[in-house]
Coordinates of all heavy atoms in Angstrom, one line a residue:
M1 N -0.6 5.2 10.9 CA -1.8 5.9 10.6 C -1.7 6.8 9.4 O -2.6 7.0 8.7 CB -2.1 6.7 11.9 CG -3.4 7.4 11.9 SD -4.7 6.1 11.9 CE -6.0 7.1 12.4
E2 N -0.5 7.4 9.2 CA -0.3 8.3 8.1 C -0.3 7.5 6.8 O -0.9 8.0 5.8 CB 1.1 9.0 8.2 CG 1.2 10.0 9.3 CD 2.5 10.6 9.4 OE1 3.2 10.9 8.4 OE2 3.0 10.8 10.6
A3 N 0.2 6.3 6.8 CA 0.1 5.5 5.6 C -1.3 5.2 5.2 O -1.7 5.3 4.0 CB 0.9 4.2 5.8
L4 N -2.2 4.9 6.2 CA -3.6 4.6 6.0 C -4.3 5.9 5.4 O -5.0 5.8 4.5 CB -4.2 4.1 7.2 CG -5.7 3.8 7.1 CD1 -6.0 2.8 6.1 CD2 -6.3 3.4 8.5
Q5 N -4.0 7.0 6.0 CA -4.6 8.2 5.5 C -4.2 8.5 4.1 O -5.0 9.0 3.3 CB -4.2 9.4 6.4 CG -4.8 9.3 7.8 CD -4.2 10.3 8.8 OE1 -3.1 10.9 8.6 NE2 -4.9 10.6 9.8
L6 N -2.9 8.3 3.7 CA -2.5 8.5 2.3 C -3.3 7.6 1.4 O -3.7 8.0 0.3 CB -1.0 8.2 2.2 CG -0.4 8.1 0.8 CD1 -0.2 9.5 0.3 CD2 0.8 7.3 0.8
V7 N -3.4 6.3 1.8 CA -4.1 5.3 0.9 C -5.6 5.7 0.8 O -6.1 5.7 -0.3 CB -3.9 3.9 1.4 CG1 -4.8 2.9 0.7 CG2 -2.5 3.5 1.3
V8 N -6.2 6.1 1.8 CA -7.6 6.5 1.8 C -7.8 7.7 0.8 O -8.7 7.7 0.0 CB -8.1 6.9 3.2 CG1 -9.5 7.6 3.1 CG2 -8.3 5.6 4.1
K9 N -6.9 8.7 0.9 CA -6.9 9.8 0.1 C -6.8 9.5 -1.4 O -7.4 10.1 -2.3 CB -5.8 10.8 0.5 CG -5.9 12.2 -0.2 CD -4.8 13.1 0.2 CE -3.6 12.8 -0.6 NZ -2.5 13.7 -0.4
E10 N -6.1 8.4 -1.7 CA -5.9 8.0 -3.1 C -7.0 7.2 -3.7 O -7.1 7.0 -4.9 CB -4.6 7.2 -3.2 CG -3.3 8.0 -2.9 CD -3.0 9.0 -3.9 OE1 -3.2 8.8 -5.1 OE2 -2.6 10.1 -3.5
C11 N -7.9 6.8 -2.9 CA -9.1 6.0 -3.4 C -10.1 6.8 -4.0 O -11.0 7.4 -3.3 CB -9.7 5.1 -2.2 SG -8.6 3.8 -1.7
K12 N -10.1 6.9 -5.3 CA -11.0 7.7 -6.1 C -11.4 6.9 -7.3 O -10.7 6.0 -7.7 CB -10.3 9.0 -6.6 CG -9.7 9.9 -5.5 CD -8.9 11.0 -6.1 CE -8.0 11.6 -5.1 NZ -6.9 12.2 -5.5
P13 N -12.6 7.2 -7.9 CA -13.0 6.5 -9.1 C -11.9 6.6 -10.2 O -11.2 7.6 -10.3 CB -14.3 7.2 -9.5 CG -14.8 7.8 -8.3 CD -13.6 8.2 -7.5
K14 N -11.7 5.5 -10.9 CA -10.7 5.4 -12.0 C -9.3 5.3 -11.5 O -8.3 5.2 -12.3 CB -10.8 6.5 -13.0 CG -12.2 6.5 -13.7 CD -12.2 7.4 -14.9 CE -13.6 7.3 -15.5 NZ -13.8 8.0 -16.7
A15 N -9.0 5.2 -10.2 CA -7.7 5.0 -9.7 C -7.3 3.6 -9.8 O -8.1 2.7 -9.4 CB -7.6 5.5 -8.2
K16 N -6.1 3.3 -10.3 CA -5.7 1.9 -10.4 C -5.3 1.4 -9.0 O -4.6 2.0 -8.3 CB -4.5 1.8 -11.3 CG -4.8 2.0 -12.8 CD -3.5 1.9 -13.6 CE -3.5 0.7 -14.4 NZ -2.4 0.6 -15.3
I17 N -5.9 0.2 -8.7 CA -5.6 -0.4 -7.4 C -4.1 -0.6 -7.1 O -3.6 -0.4 -6.1 CB -6.4 -1.7 -7.2 CG1 -7.9 -1.4 -7.3 CG2 -6.1 -2.4 -5.9 CD1 -8.8 -2.6 -7.4
V18 N -3.4 -1.1 -8.1 CA -2.0 -1.4 -8.0 C -1.2 -0.1 -7.7 O -0.3 -0.1 -6.9 CB -1.4 -2.1 -9.2 CG1 -1.4 -1.2 -10.4 CG2 -0.1 -2.7 -8.9
D19 N -1.6 1.0 -8.3 CA -0.9 2.3 -8.0 C -1.1 2.7 -6.6 O -0.2 3.2 -5.9 CB -1.4 3.4 -9.0 CG -1.0 3.1 -10.4 OD1 -0.1 2.3 -10.7 OD2 -1.6 3.8 -11.3
I20 N -2.3 2.6 -6.1 CA -2.6 2.9 -4.7 C -1.8 2.1 -3.7 O -1.2 2.6 -2.8 CB -4.1 2.8 -4.4 CG1 -5.0 3.7 -5.3 CG2 -4.4 3.1 -2.9 CD1 -6.5 3.4 -5.2
C21 N -1.7 0.8 -4.0 CA -0.9 -0.1 -3.1 C 0.6 0.2 -3.2 O 1.2 0.2 -2.2 CB -1.2 -1.6 -3.5 SG -2.8 -2.2 -3.2
E22 N 1.1 0.5 -4.4 CA 2.5 0.9 -4.5 C 2.8 2.2 -3.8 O 3.8 2.3 -3.2 CB 2.8 1.0 -6.0 CG 2.9 -0.3 -6.7 CD 3.2 -0.2 -8.2 OE1 3.2 0.9 -8.8 OE2 3.5 -1.3 -8.8
K23 N 1.9 3.2 -3.8 CA 2.1 4.4 -3.1 C 2.1 4.1 -1.6 O 2.9 4.7 -0.8 CB 1.0 5.4 -3.4 CG 1.2 6.1 -4.7 CD 0.1 7.1 -5.0 CE 0.2 7.6 -6.5 NZ -0.8 8.6 -6.8
G24 N 1.2 3.3 -1.1 CA 1.2 2.9 0.3 C 2.6 2.3 0.7 O 3.2 2.6 1.8
D25 N 3.0 1.3 -0.1 CA 4.3 0.6 0.2 C 5.5 1.6 0.2 O 6.4 1.5 1.0 CB 4.5 -0.5 -0.8 CG 3.6 -1.7 -0.5 OD1 2.9 -1.7 0.5 OD2 3.6 -2.6 -1.4
A26 N 5.5 2.5 -0.8 CA 6.6 3.4 -1.0 C 6.6 4.4 0.3 O 7.7 4.7 0.8 CB 6.4 4.3 -2.2
F27 N 5.5 4.8 0.7 CA 5.4 5.6 1.9 C 6.0 4.9 3.1 O 6.8 5.5 3.9 CB 4.0 6.1 2.2 CG 3.9 7.0 3.4 CD1 4.2 8.4 3.3 CD2 3.5 6.5 4.6 CE1 4.1 9.2 4.4 CE2 3.4 7.3 5.7 CZ 3.7 8.7 5.6
I28 N 5.6 3.7 3.3 CA 6.1 2.9 4.5 C 7.6 2.7 4.3 O 8.4 2.9 5.3 CB 5.4 1.5 4.5 CG1 4.0 1.7 4.9 CG2 6.1 0.6 5.5 CD1 3.1 0.5 4.7
R29 N 8.1 2.4 3.2 CA 9.6 2.2 3.0 C 10.3 3.5 3.3 O 11.4 3.5 3.9 CB 9.9 1.7 1.6 CG 9.8 0.3 1.4 CD 10.4 -0.2 0.0 NE 9.7 0.4 -1.1 CZ 8.6 -0.1 -1.7 NH1 8.0 -1.1 -1.2 NH2 8.1 0.5 -2.7
E30 N 9.8 4.6 2.8 CA 10.4 5.9 3.0 C 10.5 6.3 4.5 O 11.5 6.7 5.0 CB 9.6 7.0 2.3 CG 10.0 8.4 2.5 CD 9.0 9.4 1.9 OE1 8.7 9.2 0.8 OE2 8.7 10.4 2.6
Q31 N 9.4 6.1 5.2 CA 9.3 6.4 6.6 C 10.2 5.5 7.5 O 10.6 5.9 8.6 CB 7.9 6.4 7.1 CG 7.0 7.4 6.5 CD 7.4 8.8 6.8 OE1 7.6 9.2 7.9 NE2 7.6 9.6 5.7
T32 N 10.4 4.3 7.1 CA 11.1 3.3 7.9 C 12.6 3.2 7.4 O 13.4 2.5 8.0 CB 10.5 1.9 7.9 OG1 10.4 1.5 6.6 CG2 9.1 2.0 8.6
G33 N 12.9 3.9 6.3 CA 14.2 3.7 5.7 C 15.4 4.0 6.6 O 16.5 3.5 6.4
N34 N 15.3 4.9 7.5 CA 16.4 5.3 8.4 C 16.5 4.5 9.7 O 17.4 4.7 10.5 CB 16.3 6.8 8.8 CG 16.5 7.7 7.6 OD1 17.3 7.3 6.7 ND2 15.9 8.8 7.5
M35 N 15.5 3.6 9.9 CA 15.6 2.8 11.1 C 16.8 1.8 11.0 O 17.1 1.3 10.0 CB 14.3 2.0 11.3 CG 13.1 2.9 11.5 SD 11.6 2.0 11.7 CE 11.8 1.4 13.4
Y36 N 17.4 1.7 12.1 CA 18.6 0.8 12.3 C 19.8 1.2 11.4 O 20.6 0.3 11.1 CB 18.2 -0.7 12.0 CG 17.0 -1.2 12.8 CD1 15.8 -1.4 12.2 CD2 17.1 -1.4 14.2 CE1 14.7 -1.9 12.9 CE2 16.1 -1.8 14.9 CZ 14.8 -2.1 14.3 OH 13.8 -2.5 15.0
K37 N 19.8 2.4 10.9 CA 20.9 2.7 10.0 C 22.3 2.8 10.8 O 23.3 2.7 10.1 CB 20.7 4.1 9.3 CG 20.8 5.3 10.1 CD 20.5 6.5 9.3 CE 20.8 7.8 10.1 NZ 20.6 9.0 9.3
N38 N 22.2 2.9 12.1 CA 23.5 2.9 12.8 C 23.8 1.6 13.5 O 24.6 1.5 14.4 CB 23.4 4.0 13.9 CG 23.4 5.4 13.2 OD1 24.1 5.6 12.2 ND2 22.7 6.3 13.8
A39 N 23.0 0.5 13.1 CA 23.2 -0.8 13.7 C 24.6 -1.3 13.4 O 25.1 -1.1 12.3 CB 22.2 -1.8 13.3
K40 N 25.2 -2.1 14.3 CA 26.6 -2.6 14.1 C 26.6 -3.7 13.1 O 27.6 -3.9 12.4 CB 27.2 -3.1 15.4 CG 27.4 -2.0 16.4 CD 28.0 -2.4 17.6 CE 27.9 -1.3 18.7 NZ 29.0 -0.7 19.0
K41 N 25.5 -4.5 12.9 CA 25.5 -5.5 11.9 C 24.3 -5.2 10.9 O 23.4 -4.5 11.3 CB 25.3 -6.9 12.5 CG 24.0 -7.1 13.2 CD 24.0 -8.6 13.7 CE 22.6 -8.9 14.2 NZ 22.5 -10.3 14.6
K42 N 24.4 -5.7 9.7 CA 23.4 -5.4 8.7 C 22.1 -6.1 9.1 O 22.1 -7.3 9.4 CB 23.9 -6.0 7.4 CG 22.9 -5.7 6.2 CD 23.5 -6.1 4.9 CE 22.5 -6.2 3.8 NZ 21.9 -5.0 3.4
I43 N 21.0 -5.3 9.1 CA 19.7 -5.8 9.4 C 18.9 -5.7 8.2 O 18.7 -4.7 7.6 CB 19.1 -5.0 10.6 CG1 20.0 -5.2 11.9 CG2 17.7 -5.5 10.9 CD1 19.5 -4.3 13.0
E44 N 18.3 -6.9 7.8 CA 17.4 -6.9 6.6 C 16.2 -6.2 7.0 O 15.6 -6.3 8.0 CB 17.1 -8.4 6.3 CG 16.5 -8.5 4.9 CD 17.4 -8.3 3.8 OE1 18.6 -8.5 3.9 OE2 16.9 -7.8 2.7
R45 N 15.7 -5.3 6.1 CA 14.4 -4.6 6.4 C 13.6 -4.4 5.1 O 14.2 -4.6 4.0 CB 14.7 -3.2 7.0 CG 15.7 -2.4 6.3 CD 16.0 -1.1 7.0 NE 16.8 -0.3 6.2 CZ 18.0 0.1 6.5 NH1 18.6 -0.2 7.6 NH2 18.7 0.8 5.6
G46 N 12.4 -4.2 5.3 CA 11.5 -4.0 4.1 C 10.1 -4.0 4.6 O 9.8 -4.0 5.8
V47 N 9.1 -4.1 3.7 CA 7.7 -4.1 4.0 C 7.3 -5.5 4.3 O 7.3 -6.4 3.5 CB 6.8 -3.5 2.9 CG1 5.4 -3.6 3.2 CG2 7.3 -2.1 2.6
A48 N 6.9 -5.8 5.6 CA 6.6 -7.1 6.0 C 5.2 -7.5 5.5 O 5.0 -8.7 5.2 CB 6.6 -7.2 7.6
F49 N 4.3 -6.6 5.4 CA 2.9 -6.9 4.9 C 2.6 -5.8 4.0 O 2.4 -4.7 4.4 CB 2.0 -7.0 6.1 CG 0.7 -7.7 5.8 CD1 0.6 -9.1 6.0 CD2 -0.4 -7.0 5.5 CE1 -0.6 -9.7 5.7 CE2 -1.6 -7.6 5.2 CZ -1.7 -9.0 5.3
P50 N 2.5 -6.1 2.7 CA 2.2 -5.1 1.7 C 0.9 -4.4 1.8 O 0.0 -5.0 2.4 CB 2.3 -5.8 0.4 CG 2.0 -7.2 0.7 CD 2.5 -7.5 2.1
T51 N 0.7 -3.3 1.3 CA -0.6 -2.6 1.3 C -1.6 -3.4 0.5 O -1.3 -3.9 -0.6 CB -0.4 -1.2 0.6 OG1 0.6 -0.5 1.3 CG2 -1.7 -0.4 0.6
C52 N -2.7 -3.7 1.2 CA -3.8 -4.5 0.6 C -5.1 -3.7 0.5 O -5.4 -3.1 1.4 CB -4.0 -5.8 1.4 SG -2.6 -6.9 1.5
I53 N -5.7 -3.8 -0.7 CA -7.0 -3.1 -0.9 C -7.9 -4.1 -1.5 O -7.7 -4.6 -2.6 CB -6.8 -1.9 -1.8 CG1 -5.9 -0.9 -1.2 CG2 -8.2 -1.3 -2.1 CD1 -5.7 0.3 -2.1
S54 N -8.9 -4.5 -0.7 CA -9.9 -5.4 -1.1 C -11.2 -4.7 -1.6 O -11.7 -3.9 -0.8 CB -10.3 -6.4 0.0 OG -9.1 -7.1 0.4
V55 N -11.6 -4.9 -2.8 CA -12.8 -4.1 -3.3 C -14.0 -5.1 -3.4 O -13.9 -6.2 -3.9 CB -12.4 -3.6 -4.7 CG1 -13.6 -2.8 -5.3 CG2 -11.2 -2.7 -4.6
N56 N -15.1 -4.5 -3.0 CA -16.4 -5.2 -3.0 C -16.4 -6.6 -2.5 O -16.2 -6.8 -1.3 CB -16.9 -5.2 -4.5 CG -17.2 -3.8 -4.9 OD1 -17.5 -2.9 -4.2 ND2 -16.9 -3.5 -6.2
N57 N -16.5 -7.7 -3.3 CA -16.6 -9.0 -2.8 C -15.3 -9.7 -2.5 O -15.3 -10.9 -2.2 CB -17.5 -9.9 -3.7 CG -16.9 -10.0 -5.1 OD1 -16.0 -9.2 -5.5 ND2 -17.4 -10.9 -5.9
T58 N -14.2 -9.0 -2.7 CA -12.9 -9.6 -2.3 C -12.8 -9.6 -0.8 O -12.9 -8.5 -0.2 CB -11.7 -8.8 -2.9 OG1 -11.9 -8.8 -4.4 CG2 -10.4 -9.5 -2.6
V59 N -12.7 -10.7 -0.2 CA -12.8 -10.8 1.3 C -11.7 -10.1 2.0 O -11.9 -9.2 2.8 CB -12.8 -12.3 1.7 CG1 -12.9 -12.4 3.2 CG2 -14.0 -13.0 1.1
C60 N -10.4 -10.4 1.7 CA -9.3 -9.7 2.4 C -8.0 -9.9 1.8 O -7.8 -10.8 1.0 CB -9.3 -10.1 3.9 SG -8.9 -11.8 4.1
H61 N -7.0 -9.1 2.1 CA -5.6 -9.2 1.8 C -5.3 -9.3 0.3 O -4.5 -10.1 -0.2 CB -5.0 -10.4 2.5 CG -5.2 -10.4 4.0 ND1 -4.9 -9.4 4.8 CD2 -5.8 -11.4 4.8 CE1 -5.2 -9.6 6.0 NE2 -5.8 -10.9 6.0
F62 N -5.9 -8.5 -0.5 CA -5.7 -8.5 -1.9 C -4.5 -7.5 -2.2 O -4.6 -6.3 -1.9 CB -6.9 -8.0 -2.7 CG -6.6 -8.0 -4.2 CD1 -6.4 -9.1 -5.0 CD2 -6.6 -6.7 -4.9 CE1 -6.1 -9.0 -6.3 CE2 -6.3 -6.6 -6.2 CZ -6.1 -7.8 -7.0
S63 N -3.4 -8.0 -2.7 CA -2.3 -7.2 -3.1 C -2.0 -7.5 -4.5 O -1.5 -8.6 -4.9 CB -1.1 -7.5 -2.2 OG 0.0 -6.7 -2.4
P64 N -2.4 -6.6 -5.4 CA -2.3 -6.9 -6.9 C -0.9 -7.0 -7.4 O 0.1 -6.5 -6.9 CB -3.0 -5.7 -7.5 CG -2.7 -4.6 -6.5 CD -2.8 -5.2 -5.2
L65 N -0.8 -7.8 -8.5 CA 0.4 -7.9 -9.3 C 0.7 -6.6 -10.0 O -0.3 -5.8 -10.2 CB 0.4 -9.0 -10.3 CG 0.2 -10.4 -9.7 CD1 0.0 -11.4 -10.9 CD2 1.4 -10.8 -8.9
T66 N 1.9 -6.3 -10.4 CA 2.2 -5.0 -11.0 C 1.5 -4.9 -12.4 O 1.3 -3.8 -12.9 CB 3.7 -4.8 -11.2 OG1 4.2 -5.9 -11.9 CG2 4.4 -4.7 -9.9
T67 N 1.1 -6.0 -13.0 CA 0.4 -6.0 -14.3 C -1.1 -5.9 -14.2 O -1.8 -5.8 -15.2 CB 0.7 -7.3 -15.0 OG1 0.4 -8.4 -14.2 CG2 2.2 -7.4 -15.4
D68 N -1.6 -5.8 -12.9 CA -3.1 -5.7 -12.7 C -3.6 -4.4 -13.2 O -3.0 -3.3 -12.9 CB -3.4 -5.9 -11.3 CG -4.9 -6.1 -11.0 OD1 -5.7 -5.3 -11.5 OD2 -5.2 -7.1 -10.3
T69 N -4.7 -4.3 -13.9 CA -5.2 -3.1 -14.4 C -6.5 -2.7 -13.8 O -7.2 -1.8 -14.3 CB -5.4 -3.2 -16.0 OG1 -6.3 -4.2 -16.3 CG2 -4.1 -3.4 -16.7
S70 N -6.9 -3.4 -12.7 CA -8.2 -3.1 -12.0 C -8.2 -1.6 -11.5 O -7.2 -1.1 -11.0 CB -8.4 -4.0 -10.9 OG -8.4 -5.4 -11.3
E71 N -9.4 -1.0 -11.7 CA -9.6 0.4 -11.2 C -10.8 0.4 -10.3 O -11.7 -0.4 -10.4 CB -9.8 1.3 -12.4 CG -8.7 1.4 -13.4 CD -9.0 2.4 -14.5 OE1 -10.1 2.8 -14.7 OE2 -8.0 2.8 -15.2
L72 N -10.8 1.4 -9.4 CA -11.9 1.7 -8.6 C -13.0 2.3 -9.4 O -12.7 3.1 -10.3 CB -11.5 2.6 -7.4 CG -10.5 2.0 -6.4 CD1 -10.2 3.0 -5.3 CD2 -11.1 0.7 -5.8
K73 N -14.2 2.0 -9.0 CA -15.4 2.7 -9.6 C -16.2 3.4 -8.6 O -16.1 3.1 -7.4 CB -16.3 1.6 -10.3 CG -15.6 0.9 -11.5 CD -16.6 -0.1 -12.1 CE -16.1 -1.4 -12.3 NZ -15.6 -2.3 -11.3
E74 N -17.0 4.3 -9.0 CA -17.9 5.1 -8.1 C -18.8 4.0 -7.4 O -19.3 3.2 -8.0 CB -18.7 6.0 -8.9 CG -19.6 7.0 -8.0 CD -18.7 8.0 -7.3 OE1 -17.8 8.6 -7.9 OE2 -19.0 8.2 -6.1
G75 N -18.9 4.1 -6.1 CA -19.7 3.3 -5.3 C -19.1 2.0 -4.8 O -19.7 1.2 -4.1
D76 N -17.8 1.7 -5.2 CA -17.1 0.5 -4.7 C -16.9 0.6 -3.2 O -16.7 1.6 -2.6 CB -15.7 0.4 -5.4 CG -15.8 -0.2 -6.8 OD1 -16.8 -0.8 -7.1 OD2 -14.8 -0.1 -7.5
M77 N -17.1 -0.6 -2.6 CA -16.8 -0.8 -1.1 C -15.3 -1.2 -1.1 O -14.9 -2.2 -1.7 CB -17.6 -1.9 -0.5 CG -17.3 -2.2 0.9 SD -17.5 -0.9 2.1 CE -19.3 -0.9 2.1
V78 N -14.5 -0.4 -0.4 CA -13.1 -0.6 -0.3 C -12.7 -0.9 1.1 O -13.0 -0.2 2.1 CB -12.3 0.6 -0.8 CG1 -10.8 0.4 -0.7 CG2 -12.7 0.9 -2.2
K79 N -11.9 -2.0 1.3 CA -11.4 -2.4 2.6 C -9.9 -2.4 2.6 O -9.3 -2.9 1.6 CB -11.9 -3.8 3.0 CG -13.4 -3.9 3.0 CD -14.0 -5.3 2.9 CE -13.8 -5.9 1.6 NZ -14.7 -5.5 0.5
M80 N -9.2 -1.8 3.6 CA -7.8 -1.7 3.6 C -7.2 -2.3 4.8 O -7.7 -2.3 5.9 CB -7.4 -0.2 3.6 CG -7.7 0.5 2.4 SD -7.7 2.2 2.6 CE -9.1 2.7 1.7

């Protein structure tokens, strides 16, 4: 829920979609980083499903490449 709240707060006109998604992923990694740190065997961990922001007519699960320069505009419909 906190990750969603962070991403919602970042959705402003002229915000780069890739930056918002990266902030969401970074927050999830930070919050889950200490899980299983005392496990007896190494457990692979990471973000299983990256932060996705679909804007306007993009149906679902849009996770931009790092080179994407798309920005939010006033009045955009955003789905997370």
Side-chain angles (χ1 to χ4, degrees):
M1 189 65 162
E2 290 177 40
L4 179 59
Q5 291 170 338
L6 170 79
V7 171
V8 168
K9 187 178 85 174
E10 293 295 320
C11 289
K12 304 171 194 156
K14 298 190 179 185
K16 287 176 111 177
I17 297 169
V18 68
D19 292 343
I20 298 169
C21 291
E22 286 175 352
K23 285 180 184 180
D25 289 350
F27 180 81
I28 292 168
R29 278 192 298 276
E30 175 188 312
Q31 295 299 308
T32 59
N34 291 326
M35 294 180 77
Y36 306 111
K37 72 177 186 179
N38 294 325
K40 295 183 193 250
K41 65 178 188 174
K42 181 175 168 65
I43 297 174
E44 193 70 33
R45 51 184 187 243
V47 177
F49 198 85
T51 304
C52 297
I53 297 178
S54 302
V55 180
N56 298 325
N57 61 345
T58 303
V59 178
C60 61
H61 308 307
F62 178 69
S63 187
L65 297 173
T66 56
T67 56
D68 192 311
T69 59
S70 302
E71 294 181 348
L72 294 177
K73 295 183 231 58
E74 188 70 42
D76 278 346
M77 173 66 71
V78 178
K79 300 159 291 284
M80 295 164 221

